Amino acid sequence: MLGLFALRLPSECMRLNALAGMPELGLSVVTGHDELERPVRWVVTTDLLDPGRYLTGGELVLTGLIWRRSADDSETFVGALARAGVSGLGACEARSGDLPPDLVEACRRHRVPLFHVPPELSFAEVTEHIVRHLSTARASDVTAVLDRHRQLVAGAGLDPVLEMIGRDLGMRCWVLTPSGRLVSGSSPLDPGTATALATTFLTARRLPCTRAGYSVFPVDEQTTSRVADWFVAFEGRYSDWPEERRALAGELAAVAAVERVRLDDRLSPEGRIAQELVRLVLAEGKASDILPRLEVTGLAGAPGYVALAAAAHGALRPAELRSVIKELLQGPAAPAVGVVEDEAIALVPADDSDLTARVRAAVQHLSPALTDTRLTVGVSGAAPVEGLRGAVEEARFARRLAEGRPGQGAVVGHEELATHVLLLASVPDDVRHVFKVRLLDPLRSYDQVHKADLVRTLEAFLQCSGSWTKCSELLHVHVNTLRYRIQRIQDLTGRDLSRLEDRVDFFLALRLG
């Protein structure tokens, strides 16, 4: 939520005392009554503790005091405003609606006029009212809405900006993702049009470009792959625009880029918990440790979960891969996504029977932009909380199978894993016999000599999807005894039961005999 949003007003300016004379706003002067002749050239909304580097003088600064943690912060913030030469400050504490005494005192000491903004009045309304009051040609004066040298990282998001551009300039525009999902827009957009615009963005040889009456601009021209970017679509042909309007398009793209970074949840509590959740599942954590993290990520209470594993070979970076996977899994519940060893792992509630088909269609849609990247995805079947590790391993195994498929994007679902049974059934009997003997005879021989129950332990371990706790309870043995038996199985067969490929082989061997 930290950020700064600036609007440049038209060439004619106003003075602070005019603000106090606008009863429709209800702004009240708290301090600085003798400084109200100062002119206002800009309106800036910020929640940065030290916004000085973004200020050039003459601004009316609006803040919700989110930066304030102690009385000393007021001195830091107001001091930065005074050094930048702002005209005045409008503030309102988000929770109480009051102004802290230390802020008032700092403004008095630094001679910064302070206005109290009523809590029921949004900063967007204050900004819009001032712009409307002063602008006599807002439909043609593009620079009245956005200045080329300002960026947005505002908690209000993109909606107020895009709505203002569409309403005041008649310039309808939308911010979309590569899958065609609408992030924000100045007006509704038909889903078919959104998908067509996304295809244009992914397949265009150069950007910006124009197609079917719309102009498409990239949000981040430096991204390694378009599948990890957003884009801005404008109604009209950009080649017909005056220079000022083209400048606005570029500035709005930069605004959307910063908003996209703001919404990246990797550093948020939820994002960090999602990463912890994935690592905990892979480490066979206890259900009692997993459940609270499912709660934080909003996934608790589902009857089952599906895991998805994805990897990219080429230009797509792991952090970008994570955003691509979150986009592929857009649905009623946001997925919990973590990156482990350059592989993105996602967990979603098992309430979408067509998840594999939906992911496959989304990857196919993105494929035209995967010219320098190969994306492989595996999707597991549904599993309870106790079987999350098994679901993740199944998804990872399916993804490795996808590596053998043709195309820039390949998806393998859990239903395709069952074909291994059919495939093995078509193998000659003598080959099947050798397969079974090589895997199970060492265990059966050991059991006959030592009465160790290794075959029964293996069956139970696979039945419990590799869960140590659940398997030890099923066999009524201590978990250390179980670990000893599993290690003995691995030593005798040369296989690794932490690998899904080896688990599949054991499963098939047991099914055969």
Side-chain angles (χ1 to χ4, degrees), residues 84-100:
V86 305
S87 293
L89 171 65
C92 179
E93 208 281 330
R95 290 181 295 272
S96 68
D98 297 324
L99 297 178

mmCIF file of all heavy atoms in Angstrom, residues 84-100:
data_model
loop_
_atom_site.group_PDB
_atom_site.id
_atom_site.type_symbol
_atom_site.label_atom_id
_atom_site.label_comp_id
_atom_site.label_asym_id
_atom_site.label_seq_id
_atom_site.Cartn_x
_atom_site.Cartn_y
_atom_site.Cartn_z
ATOM 1 N N ALA A 84 10.800 19.857 0.427
ATOM 2 C CA ALA A 84 10.408 19.783 -0.980
ATOM 3 C C ALA A 84 9.619 21.013 -1.419
ATOM 4 O O ALA A 84 9.398 21.210 -2.612
ATOM 5 C CB ALA A 84 9.589 18.521 -1.226
ATOM 6 N N GLY A 85 9.159 21.829 -0.469
ATOM 7 C CA GLY A 85 8.421 23.039 -0.813
ATOM 8 C C GLY A 85 6.973 22.807 -1.191
ATOM 9 O O GLY A 85 6.428 23.511 -2.060
ATOM 10 N N VAL A 86 6.321 21.847 -0.539
ATOM 11 C CA VAL A 86 4.910 21.611 -0.851
ATOM 12 C C VAL A 86 4.067 22.799 -0.396
ATOM 13 O O VAL A 86 4.470 23.576 0.483
ATOM 14 C CB VAL A 86 4.399 20.311 -0.190
ATOM 15 C CG1 VAL A 86 5.265 19.127 -0.577
ATOM 16 C CG2 VAL A 86 4.315 20.442 1.330
ATOM 17 N N SER A 87 2.882 22.920 -0.973
ATOM 18 C CA SER A 87 1.995 24.019 -0.599
ATOM 19 C C SER A 87 1.204 23.709 0.657
ATOM 20 O O SER A 87 0.942 24.600 1.471
ATOM 21 C CB SER A 87 1.039 24.326 -1.753
ATOM 22 O OG SER A 87 1.747 24.848 -2.854
ATOM 23 N N GLY A 88 0.791 22.454 0.824
ATOM 24 C CA GLY A 88 -0.004 22.112 1.991
ATOM 25 C C GLY A 88 -0.194 20.619 2.110
ATOM 26 O O GLY A 88 0.200 19.844 1.239
ATOM 27 N N LEU A 89 -0.812 20.208 3.235
ATOM 28 C CA LEU A 89 -1.028 18.796 3.535
ATOM 29 C C LEU A 89 -2.477 18.586 3.940
ATOM 30 O O LEU A 89 -3.012 19.323 4.781
ATOM 31 C CB LEU A 89 -0.098 18.351 4.671
ATOM 32 C CG LEU A 89 -0.329 16.952 5.258
ATOM 33 C CD1 LEU A 89 -0.058 15.878 4.208
ATOM 34 C CD2 LEU A 89 0.554 16.738 6.491
ATOM 35 N N GLY A 90 -3.131 17.574 3.351
ATOM 36 C CA GLY A 90 -4.459 17.139 3.761
ATOM 37 C C GLY A 90 -4.356 15.740 4.313
ATOM 38 O O GLY A 90 -3.772 14.856 3.670
ATOM 39 N N ALA A 91 -4.883 15.486 5.514
ATOM 40 C CA ALA A 91 -4.668 14.195 6.160
ATOM 41 C C ALA A 91 -5.906 13.733 6.895
ATOM 42 O O ALA A 91 -6.759 14.533 7.285
ATOM 43 C CB ALA A 91 -3.477 14.273 7.131
ATOM 44 N N CYS A 92 -5.960 12.415 7.074
ATOM 45 C CA CYS A 92 -7.027 11.793 7.855
ATOM 46 C C CYS A 92 -6.541 10.424 8.278
ATOM 47 O O CYS A 92 -6.111 9.633 7.434
ATOM 48 C CB CYS A 92 -8.305 11.678 7.036
ATOM 49 S SG CYS A 92 -9.665 10.879 7.929
ATOM 50 N N GLU A 93 -6.567 10.138 9.576
ATOM 51 C CA GLU A 93 -6.163 8.832 10.061
ATOM 52 C C GLU A 93 -7.238 7.812 9.681
ATOM 53 O O GLU A 93 -8.409 7.998 9.972
ATOM 54 C CB GLU A 93 -5.979 8.858 11.582
ATOM 55 C CG GLU A 93 -4.964 7.857 12.109
ATOM 56 C CD GLU A 93 -5.524 6.458 12.184
ATOM 57 O OE1 GLU A 93 -6.742 6.323 12.395
ATOM 58 O OE2 GLU A 93 -4.743 5.502 11.997
ATOM 59 N N ALA A 94 -6.816 6.725 8.989
ATOM 60 C CA ALA A 94 -7.767 5.806 8.376
ATOM 61 C C ALA A 94 -8.719 5.181 9.387
ATOM 62 O O ALA A 94 -9.899 4.992 9.095
ATOM 63 C CB ALA A 94 -7.005 4.715 7.613
ATOM 64 N N ARG A 95 -8.231 4.858 10.580
ATOM 65 C CA ARG A 95 -9.078 4.154 11.546
ATOM 66 C C ARG A 95 -9.943 5.106 12.370
ATOM 67 O O ARG A 95 -11.149 4.926 12.489
ATOM 68 C CB ARG A 95 -8.203 3.299 12.462
ATOM 69 C CG ARG A 95 -7.574 2.101 11.754
ATOM 70 C CD ARG A 95 -6.742 1.273 12.712
ATOM 71 N NE ARG A 95 -5.584 2.025 13.197
ATOM 72 C CZ ARG A 95 -4.421 2.051 12.553
ATOM 73 N NH1 ARG A 95 -4.287 1.408 11.418
ATOM 74 N NH2 ARG A 95 -3.399 2.730 13.044
ATOM 75 N N SER A 96 -9.335 6.126 12.945
ATOM 76 C CA SER A 96 -10.082 7.005 13.854
ATOM 77 C C SER A 96 -10.671 8.226 13.168
ATOM 78 O O SER A 96 -11.633 8.815 13.654
ATOM 79 C CB SER A 96 -9.163 7.464 14.994
ATOM 80 O OG SER A 96 -8.154 8.329 14.496
ATOM 81 N N GLY A 97 -10.101 8.632 12.050
ATOM 82 C CA GLY A 97 -10.558 9.842 11.377
ATOM 83 C C GLY A 97 -9.981 11.103 11.976
ATOM 84 O O GLY A 97 -10.284 12.206 11.515
ATOM 85 N N ASP A 98 -9.130 10.974 12.995
ATOM 86 C CA ASP A 98 -8.550 12.139 13.678
ATOM 87 C C ASP A 98 -7.133 12.400 13.178
ATOM 88 O O ASP A 98 -6.568 11.632 12.400
ATOM 89 C CB ASP A 98 -8.527 11.904 15.195
ATOM 90 C CG ASP A 98 -9.920 11.750 15.760
ATOM 91 O OD1 ASP A 98 -10.833 12.452 15.265
ATOM 92 O OD2 ASP A 98 -10.093 10.937 16.686
ATOM 93 N N LEU A 99 -6.553 13.488 13.671
ATOM 94 C CA LEU A 99 -5.170 13.826 13.369
ATOM 95 C C LEU A 99 -4.364 13.765 14.665
ATOM 96 O O LEU A 99 -4.751 14.386 15.665
ATOM 97 C CB LEU A 99 -5.065 15.232 12.768
ATOM 98 C CG LEU A 99 -5.766 15.441 11.425
ATOM 99 C CD1 LEU A 99 -5.622 16.886 10.973
ATOM 100 C CD2 LEU A 99 -5.221 14.493 10.385
ATOM 101 N N PRO A 100 -3.254 13.041 14.694
ATOM 102 C CA PRO A 100 -2.453 12.948 15.918
ATOM 103 C C PRO A 100 -1.808 14.292 16.247
ATOM 104 O O PRO A 100 -1.386 15.033 15.349
ATOM 105 C CB PRO A 100 -1.394 11.897 15.578
ATOM 106 C CG PRO A 100 -1.335 11.886 14.094
ATOM 107 C CD PRO A 100 -2.711 12.214 13.604
#
